[in-house]
Amino acid sequence: MAVRWGAVDASTDEHSDIRLLEALAGGARGAAEALVDRTYSKVFALLCRLSGGDRDLAADLTQDTYRRAWASLGAFRGEASLSTWLYRIAYNTYLNHVRRPHRVVPLEAEDVERIGDGRRGADEEIADRQLERRLRRAVLDLPEELRATVVARYWAETPVTEIARLDGISEVAVRKRLRRATALLAAAVGGEHR
């Protein structure tokens, strides 16, 4: 049965992933568009969170994520859903970005505050943004296995069962990692907040 990928297939079950992969392998442009339509907002949101709200950087990293995904489609083994596989590529793309030296220096100050629409006080907006930055920094400072688990669960919204399957551990072990990470984050953010 031939699958037409002209319209977006919003389902994300295993069978649609397999059909989508077959269409991608056959070079169907519509399949590539369907995959991007189905996953772009979550990949972009994850990278936006990782990059501290820098939407331009997140957009660049999102494009890089899809470029890397297309290049490695043959390596996809179906051990996870396509969206989880893309999340992993996005996370690794971000880590590669952070690790490589940067030649470009931004002209604007990094910590320029943008004041909201006036419904909340400026000091509340600033305090919230500072707390978000401290929490983001604390997440990025976690040991790798805890950081990856926290990012997967809370920023990429990956179910615990899928994290366990990908990492080859039990769901109980994933929940223990999350509790340990939460305690470390509370200590880091709470200690800075005092």
Side-chain angles (χ1 to χ4, degrees):
M1 172 175 90
V3 177
R4 287 194 53 218
W5 292 101
V8 176
D9 179 5
S11 67
T12 57
D13 65 9
E14 189 175 328
H15 297 294
S16 70
D17 280 355
I18 291 168
R19 289 192 322 263
L20 187 59
L21 273 174
E22 290 169 352
L24 285 168
R29 181 178 174 91
E33 290 170 0
L35 177 62
V36 171
D37 286 345
R38 190 165 93 180
T39 58
Y40 186 89
S41 62
K42 282 194 175 190
V43 170
F44 177 78
L46 167 67
L47 290 166
C48 201
R49 286 182 184 133
L50 285 170
S51 61
D54 184 339
R55 296 179 66 80
D56 292 333
L57 176 59
D60 290 344
L61 293 174
T62 301
Q63 283 202 336
D64 198 27
T65 296
Y66 284 103
R67 184 187 55 74
R68 291 171 190 235
W70 303 148
S72 60
L73 267 175
F76 181 72
R77 296 186 307 262
E79 294 173 358
S81 69
L82 271 173
S83 58
T84 301
W85 176 70
L86 275 172
Y87 146 74
R88 285 285 198 196
I89 293 172
Y91 182 67
N92 289 333
T93 299
Y94 171 77
L95 290 179
N96 290 337
H97 168 76
V98 170
R99 291 175 183 148
R100 75 175 166 244
H102 302 287
R103 287 186 239 150
V104 178
V105 177
L107 296 176
E108 300 96 27
E110 185 176 315
D111 293 324
V112 173
E113 293 292 334
R114 294 187 191 119
I115 304 304
D117 61 3
R119 283 184 258 174
R120 297 182 57 202
D123 55 341
E124 291 173 332
E125 289 283 335
I126 291 170
D128 286 351
R129 289 181 192 269
Q130 289 172 344
L131 180 59
E132 285 175 23
R133 275 197 295 272
R134 284 197 313 269
L135 181 58
R136 179 182 169 274
R137 180 78 263 152
V139 168
L140 295 177
D141 287 342
L142 286 171
E144 175 62 28
E145 82 176 12
L146 296 179
R147 179 177 60 235
T149 303
V150 166
V151 168
R153 180 67 191 111
Y154 298 114
W155 290 357
E157 300 175 0
T158 306
V160 169
T161 54
E162 194 146 342
I163 296 170
R165 188 167 37 122
L166 282 171
D167 289 348
I169 59 176
S170 69
E171 290 180 38
V172 171
V174 171
R175 288 188 178 90
K176 283 182 181 179
R177 282 185 186 175
L178 290 171
R179 278 194 300 275
R180 188 167 149 229
T182 302
L184 290 171
L185 292 172
V189 173
E192 291 179 18
H193 191 61
R194 290 179 195 161

